[in-house]
Amino acid sequence: MNPLDRRALAASGEGDTVPPGKGAVVSRIVHHCCYVIAIGALLPGMLLAQTVPPDPNAAKQQGKPVPIPTPTSDPEGDKPIVGDKDFNAALPKLSNDINAPLEPIPQDAPFTPQTADKAPPSATAPPVAPAPDVAPGTLPPPPEPPAELATPLPPLNSYNTTPVIEVADAADKKSAQVRYDTVVTGLDKLGLDDDFRTFSSLKKGDGKAANIPMVRARAREDEALAVRLMKSKGYYDASAVSTIETIPNDPTRVRALVNAVPGNLYKFGTVTVDSGPVVPSGLIVDSLALAPGQPIDAERVQGAEANVSLKLGQTGYPFARLGTRDILLDDAAFTGDYTLPVDTGPRSRFGQITTTGRLAFGVKHIDILRRFKPGEIYDTRGTDDLRKALVATGLFSTVAVEPVDTGKNNADGTRIVDIAVTQRVGKTRSIAATAGYSTGQGARAEATYTARNAFPPEGALIVTAVGGTQEQGGSVTFRRSNWLQRDRTLTFSLAAGHQNYDAFNAVTTSLIGRVSYDSTPIWQKKLTYFYGFELTGTNEDVYDFAALKRKRGTYFIAALPTMVQFDTSNDLLNPTKGYRVKLSLSPETSVRGAARPYVRALAEASAYYPVSDSLVLAGRVRAGSIVGIARDDLAPSRRYYGGGGGSVRGYGYQRLGPFDPNGDPVGGRSLNEFSLEARYRFGNYGIVPFIDGGNSYASSTPQFKDLRYGAGIGGRFYTNFGPIRVDVATPLNRRKGDSRIALYISIGQAF
């Protein structure tokens, strides 16, 4: 190592001693600091002077520490590294012209292995690779990218994509600073005001906004809405402009105006249907009901096309498909030529029924439910009706009924279409409970367990328990729905119970069999009926007018009850229009010592008249008669009584009619009643003022005299399973012993 290199090494802290002449060198450098760049360019490596330190080995051999040299030990300590003459000669020549361009700064020589030992080493810098050879006029090759760039990106699902919720952005109606009024012009004459209010952004804002730009943004949205609405009515040149106006003397309130200009009304020029032949030939055109000269109203067009799909499905085309309509506008004549492509598919007839899935019953029982027969022209009303009948069984979580093209043709060329029923059995067991209270009957609760498909198909097992202050009992019922015929039900029931009322105290056991044709909540029928038999044994106390005291007696009763009802009302539990007429007839024989045949008859009619959407007038009349037997030979539980929640409200249960000397009702052989209600509904609530009247009589013919009247008011809470009824009534011509107030709570209307 030459002396200069050793000086540089010592200055960097890697030498053995501190250079003795360092103070003089620093003084020289400070004196010429303005020329450092030039010196660095001309004299690389010459920074500090350094004397050769003493040999450390000699000191080590003598076992003594190496002495630190002092400045006086360097004979050249005051000698400058570069003389003034050489230093001035090395300076670049400067021009006296201050506007002359700057001279280029000389560049350092490139780093090569030959000059590596001449550069001052660094204690921390890493080794530098030699620069590649580059031809003049070309760029060096790009450096290799870092290894991190070649690493595959992590999958997107590894990132947390949950948006950050800014508390400052939370909607707060209380923070609204601007209130605005909305004024719309130009839509009222087109009948579009209601549609605009339904979808308007300004209306949805309820007249409040955080700032003016928000109001302006809502107004722009309503501009587009107004244009869409006008175009839907055939005004294809429509335009709308919104403006925001300030209200004088109220800086917190503005007015948003939307001015709609409909322009010209476009009408149909031609109406063309592009389809194959159909039977009958004019089926599609007649169903479309669009004609040249009519306004191009979007609602009318959509309704007409929906009617085409409906009619095709009802007349033998289950696979008909409507294509995309085309309306070619002529902005000079203000007309539009309408074209509708229709793929009718093959005309078809009903084939067989197939079923798959988790089955509740098989094809044989589905054949009972369907109202169409194989070979009939396909009609979507038949498949829709079958779907409703399957839903009405209550056995399925989901059920689908769809036509399937068999690819086979009938002799007349029509296609055979099978009906595929996909079943998925739902929960078939349920527990239900009802409860009520009325003055005279007290509290009553009933719980029912039903296994709807315990005996497939549709054989239900029903267990019922009744508990109350005056009635207790239970029953077991077997019910076969859709028995041998759609909507016909076969029922057998065994019941036992105890009833303790003012009129009688009875312990009864009955066996009942019945065949009925019933309405359901899904499919309400105009005509319903039932017929059957009843075998009853009952032990009851009765007042013996001959002995002038009460005594118990046992009766055996055989009956053949029948009922027929004609119903045009619109709802089973909450009718608002229509009427009902019902007639019940029961030939019976009572055996108590001797057999005594008789007939019980009861006729009832009710009507419902809607005065408005919220008010319905409802009325009911009832008359009954028992002929062929004396009253005292008739079991008390088979007699007619008046009073109670389903009769004349305000009077106690069974407390209208003849009384014994103890003041207890004994019932009669005839009955007449009437009721009148005004049912006013608001939302899910209702108020029902009412008046009732009636009585029961010892004779077999109603007397229509000595009528008792009750009046009151009721409350209704309407639910999805029917109204909950709470009635409070008072007798208008109260007798001794009658309560002033009577309360009735139950489910369903009074009639």
Side-chain angles (χ1 to χ4, degrees):
M1 181 179 295
N2 57 44
L4 184 59
D5 293 334
R6 290 182 60 85
R7 293 189 188 97
L9 182 62
S12 66
E14 297 182 4
D16 296 325
T17 59
V18 176
K22 184 175 181 180
V25 175
V26 172
S27 175
R28 178 66 63 183
I29 292 175
V30 171
H31 181 73
H32 299 285
C33 63
C34 62
Y35 300 106
V36 169
I37 296 177
I39 296 174
L42 298 176
L43 304 174
M46 299 178 63
L47 300 176
L48 298 175
Q50 177 67 48
T51 58
V52 178
D55 187 2
N57 293 329
K60 290 180 181 180
Q61 291 175 358
Q62 298 175 3
K64 299 179 180 179
V66 179
I68 298 175
T70 62
T72 56
S73 63
D74 185 3
E76 300 181 359
D78 295 331
K79 183 178 180 180
I81 298 175
V82 180
D84 292 342
K85 181 179 179 180
D86 296 332
F87 181 81
N88 293 329
L91 291 177
K93 302 299 184 180
L94 299 178
S95 173
N96 292 328
D97 185 4
I98 61 174
N99 295 321
L102 297 176
E103 295 82 354
I105 299 176
Q107 301 296 321
D108 293 339
F111 182 85
T112 61
Q114 290 76 13
T115 61
D117 57 347
K118 298 181 181 179
S122 173
T124 59
V128 180
D133 295 334
V134 179
T138 62
L139 296 174
E144 291 293 331
E148 291 81 356
L149 296 180
T151 305
L153 294 175
L156 290 177
N157 58 12
S158 65
Y159 288 92
N160 180 13
T161 58
T162 303
V164 177
I165 299 177
E166 298 290 348
V167 176
D169 294 338
D172 185 2
K173 293 185 178 180
K174 294 182 179 180
S175 64
Q177 301 297 322
V178 177
R179 293 183 178 271
Y180 60 88
D181 300 324
T182 302
V183 178
V184 182
T185 59
L187 296 181
D188 52 344
K189 296 181 180 179
L190 307 181
L192 295 173
D193 275 349
D194 291 341
D195 292 334
F196 182 85
R197 280 193 293 268
T198 301
F199 302 105
S200 168
S201 296
L202 289 168
K203 294 293 185 181
K204 290 179 180 178
D206 198 24
K208 302 176 184 178
N211 46 49
I212 297 297
M214 181 179 291
V215 179
R216 187 173 291 109
R218 293 174 183 175
R220 285 196 295 268
E221 292 180 6
D222 282 358
E223 286 181 12
L225 171 63
V227 171
R228 290 197 304 270
L229 291 175
M230 289 185 288
K231 286 185 176 180
S232 72
K233 291 295 184 180
Y235 296 91
Y236 289 97
D237 296 332
S239 62
V241 177
S242 65
T243 56
I244 307 299
E245 295 181 352
T246 59
I247 297 179
N249 302 322
D250 191 350
T252 64
R253 195 173 192 90
V254 297
R255 182 181 295 110
L257 297 96
V258 179
N259 183 32
V261 180
N264 295 295
L265 175 62
Y266 283 70
K267 299 180 180 181
F268 288 113
T270 60
V271 177
T272 304
V273 175
D274 183 8
S275 71
V278 293
V279 178
S281 58
L283 173 63
I284 300 179
V285 175
D286 294 341
S287 301
L288 188 62
L290 296 178
Q294 294 178 344
I296 307 177
D297 188 320
E299 186 175 352
R300 178 194 293 268
V301 171
Q302 292 173 349
E305 293 174 355
N307 191 54
V308 170
S309 295
L310 181 65
K311 293 297 184 181
L312 286 172
Q314 293 176 353
T315 52
Y317 297 93
F319 308 112
R321 297 291 183 270
L322 272 62
T324 303
R325 76 182 75 88
D326 179 69
I327 301 178
L328 182 61
L329 298 178
D330 184 348
D331 55 4
F334 307 118
T335 60
D337 294 337
Y338 173 89
T339 303
L340 178 66
V342 180
D343 180 8
T344 62
R347 193 164 186 254
S348 307
R349 296 181 182 271
F350 284 114
Q352 302 301 318
I353 288 180
T354 63
T355 186
T356 57
R358 294 169 50 189
L359 305 184
F361 39 72
V363 172
K364 184 178 180 180
H365 191 64
I366 299 177
D367 283 336
I368 294 175
L369 298 179
R370 69 174 176 178
R371 299 187 188 275
F372 54 85
K373 297 179 180 179
E376 293 180 352
I377 288 293
Y378 180 88
D379 190 336
T380 54
R381 289 170 291 189
T383 56
D384 291 342
D385 176 77
L386 177 58
R387 183 183 300 106
K388 290 180 180 179
L390 292 168
V391 171
T393 64
L395 299 177
F396 303 102
S397 59
T398 59
V399 61
V401 180
E402 298 175 324
V404 177
D405 190 352
T406 64
K408 301 177 182 179
N409 291 339
N410 294 293
D412 61 354
T414 57
R415 189 66 57 89
I416 299 175
V417 173
D418 287 345
I419 303 301
V421 177
T422 304
Q423 305 181 38
R424 183 176 295 277
V425 177
K427 296 180 179 180
T428 59
R429 293 174 172 81
S430 62
I431 297 177
T434 60
Y437 173 84
S438 65
T439 303
Q441 283 182 283
R444 184 181 186 277
E446 179 177 324
T448 303
Y449 166 79
T450 303
R452 289 186 293 277
N453 206 31
F455 307 97
E458 292 194 80
L461 178 65
I462 305 169
V463 180
T464 302
V466 177
T469 56
Q470 295 175 267
E471 181 182 359
Q472 306 84 37
S475 65
V476 178
T477 302
F478 167 79
R479 183 186 67 201
R480 175 81 71 187
S481 300
N482 297 304
W483 177 62
L484 302 179
Q485 178 183 320
R486 165 104 172 245
D487 299 326
R488 186 166 64 181
T489 304
L490 174 66
T491 304
F492 292 100
S493 180
L494 179 63
H498 172 239
Q499 295 175 311
N500 183 16
Y501 299 114
D502 293 340
F504 59 85
N505 186 310
V507 178
T508 304
T509 301
S510 300
L511 175 64
I512 301 171
R514 179 177 293 182
V515 175
S516 60
Y517 182 73
D518 303 315
S519 286
T520 67
I522 295 178
W523 194 263
Q524 184 175 345
K525 302 171 182 62
K526 289 186 177 181
L527 181 65
T528 58
Y529 61 84
F530 74 77
Y531 59 87
F533 70 89
E534 179 182 349
L535 299 175
T536 296
T538 178
N539 181 269
E540 305 179 7
D541 71 339
V542 60
Y543 187 83
D544 189 338
F545 282 89
L548 299 178
K549 64 178 182 180
R550 300 187 72 89
K551 61 181 182 180
R552 299 197 70 86
T554 301
Y555 301 83
F556 296 97
I557 302 167
L560 298 174
T562 60
M563 185 278 295
V564 61
Q565 175 175 277
F566 187 75
D567 184 1
T568 66
S569 67
N570 61 337
D571 192 276
L572 290 177
L573 295 177
N574 184 37
T576 58
K577 62 180 179 180
Y579 64 90
R580 297 171 181 170
V581 178
K582 181 170 68 173
L583 176 64
S584 300
L585 192 67
S586 179
E588 300 180 3
T589 296
S590 177
V591 179
R592 187 185 181 199
R596 295 176 175 84
Y598 59 93
V599 175
R600 301 175 78 242
L602 183 67
E604 182 176 352
S606 58
Y608 313 93
Y609 178 74
V611 178
S612 65
D613 292 339
S614 56
L615 179 62
V616 175
L617 296 180
R620 173 182 65 89
V621 294
R622 178 191 292 170
S625 177
I626 302 174
V627 296
I629 190 173
R631 184 193 65 182
D632 294 342
D633 293 330
L634 189 64
S637 61
R638 313 296 288 189
R639 301 172 187 175
Y640 285 135
Y641 300 88
S647 178
V648 181
R649 287 163 285 187
Y651 294 89
Y653 180 65
Q654 298 180 337
R655 293 197 62 85
L656 283 185
F659 289 85
D660 63 21
N662 298 324
D664 294 324
V666 295
R669 291 185 298 164
S670 62
L671 171 77
N672 58 5
E673 296 174 353
F674 77 89
S675 296
L676 183 64
E677 293 186 346
R679 300 172 180 174
Y680 178 74
R681 178 172 179 174
F682 49 97
N684 291 328
Y685 301 92
I687 296 177
V688 181
F690 58 84
I691 183 171
D692 301 333
N695 211 335
S696 66
Y697 308 91
S699 63
S700 61
T701 303
Q703 300 300 306
F704 297 98
K705 64 180 181 179
D706 193 25
L707 295 178
R708 298 291 170 175
Y709 300 95
I713 190 167
R716 302 291 186 269
F717 176 64
Y718 294 91
T719 67
N720 57 357
F721 56 84
I724 297 176
R725 174 169 66 105
V726 179
D727 289 341
V728 179
T730 184
L732 298 182
N733 45 351
R734 188 169 62 93
R735 304 163 303 182
K736 183 179 180 180
D738 290 334
S739 299
R740 293 184 180 274
I741 297 295
L743 175 66
Y744 310 95
I745 303 174
S746 64
I747 296 176
Q749 298 285 6
F751 56 89

